[in-house]
Amino acid sequence: MAAKAHILIRKGRVIDPASGRDDVADLLIENGRLTRIGASLDAPGADIIEAEGHWVLPGLVDACVHLSLPGSGRSGDIASETRAAAAGGITHMAAQPDCGPVDSTAVVRLIREQAGQAGFARILPIAAMTQGLKGEQLAEMATLARAGCIAVGNAGGKVADALVLKRCLEYAATFDMPVMFRPQDAALSAGGCAHEGPVATRLGLPGIPALAESVDLSRDLLLVEATGVRAHFQQISSRESLRLLRVAKQRGLPVTADVSIQHLLLDESALEGFNSHCHVIPPLRSAEDREALLEAVADGTIDAICSQHTPIGSSSKAAPFPATRPGMAGVDTLLSLVLGLVGEGKLDLARALDAVTAAPARCLDIQAGQLETGRPASLCVLDANAEKDYAEHWLSAGSNSPWRGSVLKGSVKLTVCQGKVSWLTD
C-alpha cells in the first residue's frame, strides 16, 4: 500500500491499555511517526481519517502464528497471511520456528524479505532452539538473534533429553533471549487427537490428558528456575497448568504465558459430529478448564491471547478426525472474537485489549502494542458496532476455522503498521 506522508485521525475513541487512556481525541502521524495525541489537532495537507464513532487502538501483537513457507505444508504464503492479519488490525506477528525450520540465517532473511516486500505486518521470527527442531543439538541461537530473531523455541517439538534442554536454556540465558515453551509430554500425548474426557470416549477418539501439559510444564519450570532464563509458555490449556504458573509467578520466576482464543471460546463439546476444524493441539479441553482459562486471563496469570494461526487447506481437514491435520486459522477473527468475550461479560474491555496489544509485546520484549508518541505508528481504527460477514470477507488462505462463514461484530477500517498504511477499507 502507498505510504502517506501525514495522516490525521480525527475524533476517534482512543483506547490504549498500556497508558490507561480511554477518551475521544485526534492522532497525528507525521512521516510515519505518531507525533501528537490531543483534542482538535490541525495538520494542513495531511490525509484525514474521520474516526468519529470508531475506536483507535494500538496495532495488535499476535504472540503465536505458524506461517507458510515452501515445504511447511500449510496454505498461502507470507503475503496472504500478513494481509489477512492487517485486515484484522494485527501489526506484529511472532512467527514460530516450524516454517523452515528457522535454524539458519538464510531462512530468517527469507522471512524478513518476504514480509518486507508484502508490507502488511511486521514478522518477528522465533529461532529454532535445536537444529532442525529435532531436540538433539543446539542451534546457533546467537547468530540467529543477530539475524533478527527475537526469541528461541522448539515450536512444540520436544527436547526429550533434560540435559540438552538445560544447556539450551543456559545458552539462551547467556544472550538474554526469551525461550518459548509449548508444554506437552510426548509419551503421555502419543497418538492422541482430543482431550482425554467424556467426549473423546463417546466418539472413540484417542485422548491427550491434561496431565501431559502439566507434567511437561513442571519440568520446564524447574529448569527455568535453575538457569534463570526468561520463559514464555504458549497455549496453556488446563487448570493444573494455571496453578503451576500462579505459584511460579508468586515465587518471582521470570515467566509469562498466553492462551489461544479458541481455548477461551470452545471446549471439548465442539468436537461433537467429528468437527475437524476443532482438531487443534493442545486439544480443546473441558468446560471447567475453559472457565479457568478465562479467570486466568482476567487476573493476569495468563498474560496474552494469541491466534495460534495455522492456515491449512480443506483437503487436510477432509478425513476421519484422527487423520486430519491439527490447527485453526485465526488472524482474520482474533480481534472480533476477543471483543465477543467482552460483549458476553467474560472479560473487561481494557484487560481484553491489553491481552492482544501491550501484554504480548511485554512477553516478547518488543516495542509495540501501545500508542506512544515519537515512535513509528502502529495502530488500527475499528468500527466496533459494525458486523463483518466472514463468508464474504475471509482473507487467509487457510479455510480451517469454525468461524469462517460467521457474522461477527467489529470491522477494522484502517491499519497502520510501522508508519505505513497496511489496510484501508473504502
Side-chain angles (χ1 to χ4, degrees):
M1 298 232 175
K4 297 177 183 298
H6 305 314
I7 303 172
L8 178 61
I9 302 171
R10 295 205 300 198
K11 300 190 182 308
R13 178 185 172 186
V14 180
I15 308 175
D16 182 21
S19 65
R21 182 165 200 150
D22 186 347
D23 60 1
V24 174
D26 296 349
L27 295 90
L28 179 60
I29 300 169
E30 294 179 296
N31 297 317
R33 291 186 180 274
L34 179 60
T35 55
R36 297 175 67 191
I37 305 175
S40 302
L41 299 181
D42 188 26
D47 289 297
I48 306 296
I49 302 292
E50 298 291 353
E52 188 169 2
H54 294 358
W55 296 0
V56 183
L57 310 174
L60 271 62
V61 179
D62 194 340
C64 179
V65 299
H66 297 273
L67 289 179
S68 306
L69 284 180
S72 69
R74 303 189 187 104
S75 296
D77 53 27
I78 286 179
S80 68
E81 302 316 290
T82 52
R83 180 170 177 257
I90 297 169
T91 56
H92 293 70
M93 310 164 75
Q96 297 302 297
D98 55 354
C99 61
V102 186
D103 62 356
S104 72
T105 55
V107 175
V108 178
R109 188 163 53 246
L110 177 64
I111 292 171
R112 299 186 71 185
E113 285 177 356
Q114 290 192 3
Q117 290 167 2
F120 294 114
R122 186 176 178 196
I123 300 296
L124 310 163
I126 307 296
M129 188 160 59
T130 58
Q131 294 179 24
L133 299 174
K134 296 178 179 176
E136 297 169 354
Q137 294 181 309
L138 277 62
E140 292 293 338
M141 301 180 203
T143 301
L144 295 167
R146 285 193 293 272
C149 292
I150 62 164
V152 299
N154 229 41
K158 302 317 300 175
V159 182
D161 189 318
L163 180 58
V164 172
L165 179 56
K166 180 171 180 287
R167 286 173 175 161
C168 287
L169 304 189
E170 289 169 342
Y171 188 32
T174 300
F175 295 97
D176 196 28
M177 293 183 72
V179 175
M180 318 289 273
F181 292 91
R182 196 182 77 192
Q184 181 167 291
D185 183 84
L188 289 171
S189 59
C193 64
H195 171 61
E196 187 176 270
V199 174
T201 300
R202 187 166 57 254
L203 297 178
L205 298 174
I208 299 174
L211 185 66
E213 182 176 281
S214 51
V215 162
D216 208 27
L217 177 60
S218 298
R219 182 190 75 156
D220 293 344
L221 286 170
L222 288 170
L223 288 170
V224 166
E225 183 172 17
T227 59
V229 73
R230 288 186 290 145
H232 180 69
F233 290 93
Q234 300 181 290
Q235 290 91 67
I236 296 301
S237 68
S238 75
R239 284 173 291 173
E240 179 60 17
S241 294
L242 296 172
R243 187 187 69 79
L244 294 169
L245 282 171
R246 285 194 176 97
V247 171
K249 287 191 167 187
Q250 288 166 2
R251 295 182 60 220
L253 268 62
V255 298
T256 54
D258 67 50
V259 62
S260 70
I261 183 64
Q262 53 263 32
H263 285 85
L264 295 177
L265 287 158
L266 304 172
D267 57 46
E268 59 184 334
S269 64
L271 272 57
E272 297 284 5
F274 300 98
N275 184 352
S276 61
H277 286 319
C278 296
H279 181 190
V280 293
I281 298 294
L284 300 173
R285 298 210 180 271
S286 69
E288 292 77 16
D289 286 312
R290 185 171 74 86
E291 288 299 323
L293 290 168
L294 284 164
E295 292 172 7
V297 173
D299 68 22
T301 302
I302 295 287
D303 300 85
I305 303 171
C306 69
S307 72
Q308 201 186 354
H309 179 66
T310 310
I312 297 173
S314 56
S315 61
S316 296
K317 289 289 189 180
F321 189 96
T324 59
R325 190 167 181 174
M328 190 180 291
V331 291
D332 294 71
T333 53
L334 175 61
L335 181 54
S336 288
L337 293 176
V338 168
L339 293 177
L341 289 172
V342 175
E344 294 174 8
K346 300 291 187 182
L347 290 176
D348 168 79
L349 175 61
R351 174 67 192 113
L353 292 178
D354 177 64
V356 290
T357 56
R362 289 194 296 271
C363 296
L364 299 170
D365 194 22
I366 61 170
Q367 293 285 348
Q370 58 183 305
L371 300 173
E372 186 177 4
T373 57
R375 293 191 176 279
S378 289
L379 54 82
C380 66
V381 176
L382 173 78
D383 184 345
N385 293 316
E387 293 188 332
K388 189 169 183 178
D389 185 345
Y390 284 97
E392 298 179 15
H393 299 289
W394 187 268
L395 293 179
S396 170
S399 58
N400 50 314
S401 167
W403 292 286
R404 187 180 182 187
S406 299
V407 177
L408 303 175
K409 272 203 166 184
S411 179
V412 173
K413 302 301 180 184
L414 168 74
T415 302
V416 177
C417 176
Q418 296 290 99
K420 295 182 178 178
V421 175
S422 58
W423 178 258
L424 179 64
T425 60
D426 294 332

